[in-house]
């Protein structure tokens, strides 16, 4: 059984609603999206074809400042103590893990995650200009 996500719709949300930070959104494979951001970093969105509801929203920043931010729900045993397990949020690194309250609806989750990215980038811009 395949669990398809509307990547065309997700791409449209990224490129239209977040045009201030998104350069382009690509669909490298079924249920995958790569969003190239204005600062040169990128967000990878992945939804499992085989496991209903399994996802990852990953902001890759290791090349620019050494950080990663990711909401995912892979049931890693080491995060069992997280209140929202298996849902969890990697806050800046693979080992700094917090609760994740991101929506289960892909379109809403993308908006929430890109809103977080937008906020982080605007804070950095503010730091640079002050």
């Amino acid at each position: 059984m395949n669990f398809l996500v509307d990547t065309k719709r997700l791409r449209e949300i990224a490129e239209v609603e977040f045009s201030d930070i998104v350069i382009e959104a690509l669909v490298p494979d079924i249920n995958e999206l790569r969003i190239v951001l204005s600062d040169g970093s990128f967000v990878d969105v992945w939804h499992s074809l085989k496991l209903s509801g399994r996802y990852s929203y990953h902001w890759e920043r290791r090349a620019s400042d050494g950080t990663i931010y990711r909401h995912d729900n892979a049931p890693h045993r080491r995060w069992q103590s997280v209140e929202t397990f298996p849902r969890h949020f990697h806050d800046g690194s693979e080992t700094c893990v917090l609760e994740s309250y991101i929506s289960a609806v892909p379109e809403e989750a993308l908006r929430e995650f890109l809103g977080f990215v937008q906020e982080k980038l605007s804070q950095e811009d503010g730091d640079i200009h002050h």
Side-chain angles (χ1 to χ4, degrees), residues 5-19 22-28 32-36 45 106-107 110 114:
V5 171
D6 186 352
T7 49
K8 189 175 172 192
R9 178 73 184 119
L10 294 179
R11 182 179 178 189
E12 184 180 287
I13 289 168
E15 290 182 339
V16 174
E17 296 178 27
F18 295 89
S19 60
V22 172
I23 292 175
E24 67 178 329
L26 312 163
V27 181
E32 291 180 18
L33 192 65
R34 170 157 290 183
I35 302 166
V36 181
V45 177
E107 293 81 2
L110 181 63
L114 288 178

Side-chain angles (χ1 to χ4, degrees), residues 3-115:
F3 298 98
L4 291 176
V5 171
D6 186 352
T7 49
K8 189 175 172 192
R9 178 73 184 119
L10 294 179
R11 182 179 178 189
E12 184 180 287
I13 289 168
E15 290 182 339
V16 174
E17 296 178 27
F18 295 89
S19 60
D20 58 322
I21 60 166
V22 172
I23 292 175
E24 67 178 329
L26 312 163
V27 181
D29 206 347
I30 297 170
N31 277 17
E32 291 180 18
L33 192 65
R34 170 157 290 183
I35 302 166
V36 181
L37 302 173
S38 56
D39 73 337
S41 65
F42 61 88
V43 168
D44 280 338
V45 177
W46 171 84
H47 286 268
S48 176
L49 276 171
K50 304 209 180 336
L51 300 169
S52 176
R54 183 70 52 89
Y55 61 81
S56 170
Y57 296 83
H58 177 91
W59 184 15
E60 180 57 54
R61 303 198 72 201
R62 282 183 274 226
S64 59
D65 69 2
T67 61
I68 60 106
Y69 298 92
R70 182 174 65 248
H71 285 274
D72 73 82
N73 61 355
H76 301 298
R77 272 217 204 92
R78 64 190 295 200
W79 313 129
Q80 278 180 314
S81 63
V82 174
E83 199 172 299
T84 56
F85 182 83
R87 298 180 304 138
H88 57 278
F89 174 59
H90 297 266
D91 189 12
S93 74
E94 292 289 348
T95 55
C96 179
V97 173
L98 308 171
E99 293 84 20
S100 171
Y101 297 100
I102 200 163
S103 175
V105 178
E107 293 81 2
E108 288 308 309
L110 181 63
R111 285 185 179 104
E112 291 168 14
F113 194 62
L114 288 178

